[in-house]
Each structure stands twice: as structure tokens, then as C-alpha cells.
Amino acid sequence: MRLHTRLVHAPACGDPFRAAATPVYQTATFALDGDTLAAPYDYSRSGNPTRATLEAQLAALEGGERAFAFASGLAALTAVLRLVPTGGEVVADDDLYGGTYRLLSHLAPRQGVRTRYTDACDLAAVARACAGRPRLILVESLTNPHLRAPDIAGLARVAHAHGAWLCVDNSARTPLRCRPLEHGADLVVHSATKYLGGHGDVTAGIVVTREPALAELIGGVQNGEGAVLAPFETFLLLRGLQTLAVRLRQQERSARAVASLLACRPEVERVFYPRTEDGAFAPGGGAVVSFTTGCLARTRRFLAALRLLSCAVSFGSVRSSACLPGAMSHASVPEGVRRRRGFAEDLVRLSIGIEDAADILDDLRQALAASATGSSSGVEAQPACARIGAGRHDAARSSHDPERRV
Ligand SMILES: *Cc1c(COP(=O)(O)O)cnc(C)c1O
């Protein structure tokens, strides 16, 4: 079966009535024949037919052997970090989701696991960071808000040469655009809260692997720590997955139109969206578009002026939204990393949904125009807005531009 078909047809879950939609087995426990634990299911933390159906579907979509569904993306990442023993080291990209930084920088050290941050797009730098013999290299297949895409096959070679596993957080690309296991990654993680669920109504996380030994370990953590995805949340995810291909296609089409609009607006300084070799905005580049205005006050006026887009964290939903990563989704990124990355405080991250593209573009146009007038707080806005227009030629950047991402 091809991927688009697999999305619609979840594996059969053994329901005796052959229900078309996967039933919600909303039960904590299962009756057993006597005192044996040999039944397929005994207790829902250890296994549940609804969850097993989703896990089998995601394993197939990512080209893995086994998948495990967790209560959130961070619970899934936590399970992966449990593979690193006390005293072990992680090498991580320095352009990660803010919550992942918080996990690596504040919580993992309490278990004796330290992280060295590096630029995952620079394989030589990653190899140097591996001097400490890390057990795990952790990257995102497409970072946000900066939309950088590391070379997964190259990273897998570096990881394996140093005896480490490569884990790729594939939340921002989905298995339709990138299958890291096929490029040598050992583990794939998803915040299924994003595109896989796709409707902004469920928090969920996934780990996929094709190595039986790793599956055994992750399964042990899932059952032993118990941060499993509940049956109803699993059902929502199974339902959301069915439309992933059509949602993503529509979202990407509109996101590209948004990137093109932003690139020629005078209120915008710089646009971040994946690009092709010749510098054009890439088809299949995802639904996240980021941009700077050169001025935090201008950015705040833009966010306040939006009518259709809500000001909200997260991405990948059918509803468009906008956020200020420096203060919202990436507030946990350490100061040093922000400086090194050039993380602009005025950076806006848009997540484009499936509304009519013309309505999205209209809303952005009016909010950009409102951001320039500074009617609410004109005084603070004046000096910092001197850089307006610096990004006007962004779309025409040459292919040698180091800022070109994909
Ligand atoms: C949102 C997100 C996470 C965390 O997932 P939750 O479901 O919010 O716990 C991890 N990685 C990336 C790339 C994310 O965008």
C-alpha cells in the first residue's frame, strides 16, 4: 500500500463486528482466562487494541518495525532519553523546540544526562561534539522557527561511527515528506499534537524504530513509566491521520503563497521558509512560515491586529495561527543558544491552516498594514523600524546564500 492509502486504512484491530472506524476500547483492564497473562491484552498501560492499531499504522508509515504512542511529544522524547544511562551524553542540534531544550537542559541533568549543543547542519561540528562519546544524537528533520533541514544520512554515519544512536524528531515534516529511518536514523519521534493529529484537539507523541533491541527498550519504558496515550486521544489521532495528505497539501500550497506575499511586503525584514536549489520557496516545505519585522513593537502590533489567525502556540492544525516564539513556544531556549543562533525577538512564526488562502492572505495584509501605522504605541516604534525593507529581495536570494535552508 502506498502512504496516502495507508493513512486512510488503519490496520484491522480484531473487532468482531468489523467496525469501519477503529473502536475506542475505553477500558483499563481485560478479563483473562484464569491467572494466565498470555492473552493479547491484560491491562491498558501495557497494551490496548485502539493504541496498538495506531502504533501499527505509524510503524508502517515511518517504515519502522514498532511504534509506541505516548501522552505527548515530550513524553515520547523523555522515553528516548531513558535509553541514555546516568553519566551518558547527548549531542543535540542547537535549533530545537523550546520544550526539548527544557527537557535536555533542566530535567535530564537531574538524571545525570548532559547535553552538548551543536549545529546539526555542520557535520564536522557534530563529529567534534562526539568527542565525549555520546549515546544519542538528537535533531529535528526540519527546525522551526528557522526552518533548517540537516542531512540525516550524514548524521547517521557520524552517529554510528561514534557508537551513538541517531534520533530524529520528524514532527515538522511528517512521514509524507521525510522518513528518517530510511536514511539510517535509529529512532523517530513525533509530536503528534502537530500535523499527525492536525486539528489542534489532541496532545500525543510517537516513537518509532526498526531495531528490535531498541523497540524492546522503548516498550519497556512505555509500560514501566506509563505515559501512554489514552484510548480516546488515540481515536482522535487515528481520525486525524486519515486526512493528513490532503490537509498537508493544502496547507503547504497556502504557506508558499504566504511566504511569497511576505517576501515582497515592506513591513517584513526577512522570511524563513524552505527553499529549492535556485532559491525559490520549496513546494512541500511545510505549513510553518516565519519572518522578522526588524522591530519587536511592530511585531506585537502585527499580532494584535490579526483577525482570522489566532495568536497561539503549536503548528500543523487546520486552523491558522501566529506566535512570537521568543516569548512563547521557544521561551525555554537558553540565552547563549539564542545569541549563537541569532534568535530574533521580533520573529513571528505562522502556522498556515486549510482556510481559504485568500482569507489568510487578506488577514496578513491588513495586519501588516496595521503594524506599520503604530496607532497604539507609536512612540516606541519609530527608531527601531529603520530596517524596514531589508527583506524585500529575500525571494530572489542566490543559491550561494548561507541562509538558504533546503
Ligand atoms: C511541539 C513539539 C514537541 C513537543 O510535543 P508535545 O506534544 O507538545 O509534548 C516536540 N518537538 C517538536 C518539534 C514540537 O514542535
Side-chain angles (χ1 to χ4, degrees), residues 23-326:
V24 182
Y25 284 88
Q26 188 67 50
T27 181
T29 193
F30 299 81
L32 303 171
D33 290 330
D35 60 3
T36 166
L37 284 181
Y41 300 102
D42 52 66
Y43 190 60
S44 275
R45 168 162 44 70
S46 315
N48 173 288
T50 312
R51 195 172 83 228
T53 301
L54 173 75
E55 291 174 336
Q57 189 179 16
L58 281 161
L61 287 166
E62 283 287 1
E65 193 62 40
R66 295 280 305 278
F68 301 90
F70 290 86
S72 70
L74 284 178
L77 281 162
T78 300
V80 169
L81 287 180
R82 294 291 190 221
L83 302 181
V84 181
T86 302
E89 208 171 279
V90 176
V91 165
D93 186 29
D94 60 8
D95 193 17
L96 292 174
Y97 170 66
T100 308
Y101 275 113
R102 190 173 52 219
L103 182 59
L104 292 172
S105 300
H106 299 292
L107 298 170
R110 294 190 202 164
Q111 316 296 325
V113 173
R114 304 262 153 210
T115 298
R116 201 184 287 252
Y117 294 103
T118 186
D119 178 356
C121 290
D122 179 348
L123 292 182
V126 176
R128 282 196 299 280
C130 286
R133 307 291 300 172
R135 298 296 284 265
L136 182 73
I137 296 182
L138 176 62
V139 303
E140 294 175 9
S141 53
L142 179 64
T143 70
N144 82 78
H146 295 111
L147 288 308
R148 308 167 75 243
D151 166 10
I152 293 171
L155 286 168
R157 280 194 297 275
V158 173
H160 298 155
H162 291 85
W165 293 302
L166 174 63
C167 176
V168 178
D169 181 332
N170 199 24
S171 308
R173 299 221 66 195
T174 86
L176 296 184
R177 301 289 177 258
C178 174
R179 273 180 303 286
L181 299 178
E182 292 176 0
H183 299 284
D186 303 285
L187 295 146
V188 167
V189 166
H190 278 279
S191 168
T193 313
K194 314 294 163 57
Y195 291 109
L196 301 186
H199 293 72
D201 54 9
V202 57
T203 304
I206 307 290
V207 180
V208 193
T209 181
R210 62 174 176 191
E211 294 163 43
L214 283 178
E216 191 69 26
L217 290 170
I218 296 288
V221 174
Q222 186 196 39
N223 182 45
E225 295 194 337
V228 294
L229 192 62
F232 187 68
E233 318 301 294
T234 305
F235 170 80
L236 289 176
L237 197 44
L238 282 162
R239 187 158 97 150
L241 265 179
Q242 298 178 72
T243 54
L244 174 62
V246 286
R247 281 189 277 114
L248 191 59
R249 190 166 55 212
Q250 174 67 28
Q251 287 173 267
E252 287 178 328
R253 197 179 293 154
S254 297
R256 239 169 120 216
V258 165
S260 302
L261 168 79
L262 295 173
C264 55
R265 287 291 301 208
E267 303 89 347
V268 172
E269 183 190 60
R270 189 168 158 204
V271 180
F272 296 87
Y273 192 74
R275 292 169 190 273
T276 60
E277 276 302 312
D278 57 8
F281 294 125
V288 173
V289 186
S290 307
F291 68 95
T292 57
T293 63
C295 168
L296 182 59
R298 173 185 294 277
T299 287
R300 288 193 188 282
R301 284 199 300 273
F302 166 80
L303 290 171
L306 288 168
R307 293 181 194 140
L308 176 67
L309 276 72
S310 45
C311 185
V313 294
S314 199
F315 63 85
S317 165
V318 290
R319 294 155 64 104
S320 297
S321 64
C323 86
L324 186 61

